[in-house]
Amino acid sequence: MIQQTLVLVKPDGVKRGLIGEIISRFEKRGLKIVGIKMVQVDPDFSKKHYSAHVAKSFYKNLEKFITSGPVVAMAIEGIDAVEVVRKIVGSTEPKSAPVGTIRGDFAHVSLNYADSKGKSAENLIHASGNKEEAEQEVSLWFSIDELHSYKLSYEDHVM
Ligand code: ATP
Ligand code: MG
């Protein structure tokens, strides 16, 4: 099934100059970027995006992190894109993320260590966790006219 999913290069990824590196990993896998923009998230929007986490103990640090600088938001399309993108991203905690994933290649902080410093674990990237979350997040971040339909030149070979 062709799906769209939301990816954010979080403020740490932007400030570390990893936007291009991160985008290229999705492009090389043959996934299609159908929407892209740079956004400064404010606390109200953070609460909408992370509505599932607002009541959790780590939310305060998470909001501080996600509002600490601009993010690059992308809608990414492909076959079972939600699952494929999550695999490219790696697990939440950089310390545990497999080498070869974005979080496993560019960070190593543990959730415990970040917690002890009063910080959110800076894990470079957000990706929608499941199909329902993806549909809701793509429509939260992108209007219909910001999403584009086109054919990749190599679509006949990788899709
Ligand atoms: P994301 O939603 O950002 O892609 P995720 O789906 O892997 O990450 P979630 O469980 O949705 O993880 O948590 C959202 C974010 O909150 C994580 O990316 C991380 O920055 C932070 N976070 C999650 N769990 C913890 C925790 N136990 N302690 C501190 N921060 C956490
Ligand atoms: Mg999540």
Side-chain angles (χ1 to χ4, degrees), residues 88-147:
I88 296 169
V89 167
S91 44
T92 307
E93 180 183 53
K95 182 192 149 195
S96 313
V99 169
T101 64
I102 293 167
R103 287 168 172 164
D105 283 352
F106 297 108
H108 74 279
V109 73
S110 68
L111 293 178
N112 277 342
Y113 184 81
D115 262 356
S116 76
K117 298 283 172 191
K119 287 175 69 176
S120 193
E122 302 208 349
N123 57 3
L124 296 156
I125 188 160
H126 162 83
S128 306
N130 56 53
K131 190 168 163 281
E132 293 68 40
E133 205 175 280
E135 284 167 5
Q136 190 253 318
E137 291 180 354
V138 169
S139 61
L140 174 66
W141 283 80
F142 289 94
S143 61
I144 293 291
D145 62 0
E146 289 173 323
L147 295 169

Side-chain angles (χ1 to χ4, degrees), residues 10 20 27 34 45 57 59 72 77-78 90 104 107 115 121-122 125-126 133 138 140 148 154 158:
K10 291 179 174 174
E27 288 187 315
V34 295
F45 194 79
S57 59
Y59 178 74
V72 172
E77 188 176 284
D115 262 356
E122 302 208 349
I125 188 160
H126 162 83
E133 205 175 280
V138 169
L140 174 66
H148 302 274
Y154 54 78
V158 296

Side-chain angles (χ1 to χ4, degrees), residues 15-57:
K15 290 178 195 166
R16 289 176 58 190
L18 291 171
I19 299 170
E21 170 71 41
I22 288 171
I23 292 176
S24 74
R25 291 187 172 218
F26 299 112
E27 288 187 315
K28 284 176 192 158
R29 197 81 194 264
L31 292 156
K32 192 190 300 186
I33 295 162
V34 295
I36 186 164
K37 58 185 173 183
M38 185 174 263
V39 179
Q40 173 63 53
V41 175
D42 65 20
D44 281 350
F45 194 79
S46 171
K47 288 179 185 77
K48 284 186 189 150
H49 172 70
Y50 280 129
S51 57
H53 298 314
V54 169
K56 295 182 183 165
S57 59

Side-chain angles (χ1 to χ4, degrees), residues 2 30-34 77-79 149-159:
I2 301 291
L31 292 156
K32 192 190 300 186
I33 295 162
V34 295
E77 188 176 284
I79 302 160
S149 181
Y150 63 98
K151 199 169 173 189
L152 293 170
S153 60
Y154 54 78
E155 213 160 294
D156 292 337
H157 305 290
V158 296
M159 291 184 79

